[in-house]
Amino acid sequence: MIFPLKELIEYDKNMYEITAASSRRSYQLSMLYAAGDDDAMYWVDDTDGKVVSLAARQVFYKQVEFQLDTE
């Protein structure tokens, strides 16, 4: 499970925004992993290669900041 269901149900912000941010973050992590970045390799290997789960958790728990362009 990516994060507890109760927290997801109680999430009162824009679901599209967090989904888009998680998608972009998973792309970033996969590119870093493919390039051999030590930090990314540690994070991804720690989650059994589940980049999307890792990215969603980082965005949901505010371990990374994001901002969507309005243009």
Side-chain angles (χ1 to χ4, degrees):
M1 180 182 287
I2 297 173
F3 32 75
L5 185 58
K6 182 179 177 183
E7 290 181 27
L8 185 59
I9 292 170
E10 294 173 355
Y11 186 74
D12 62 347
K13 296 179 182 161
N14 187 327
M15 193 58 71
Y16 170 79
E17 186 176 79
I18 197 170
T19 303
S22 296
S23 175
R24 178 64 180 159
R25 180 61 179 159
S26 64
Y27 175 77
Q28 290 172 341
L29 287 171
S30 65
M31 291 295 103
L32 288 171
Y33 186 81
D37 181 271
D38 290 337
D39 288 335
M41 292 179 84
Y42 172 77
W43 297 327
V44 172
D45 289 344
D46 193 43
T47 59
D48 295 324
K50 298 177 182 173
V51 178
V52 175
S53 296
L54 173 60
R57 192 174 323 116
Q58 286 180 341
V59 171
F60 191 78
Y61 289 119
K62 299 178 182 169
Q63 295 173 336
V64 293
E65 292 183 23
F66 66 92
Q67 173 181 319
L68 297 180
D69 291 335
T70 57
E71 296 179 11

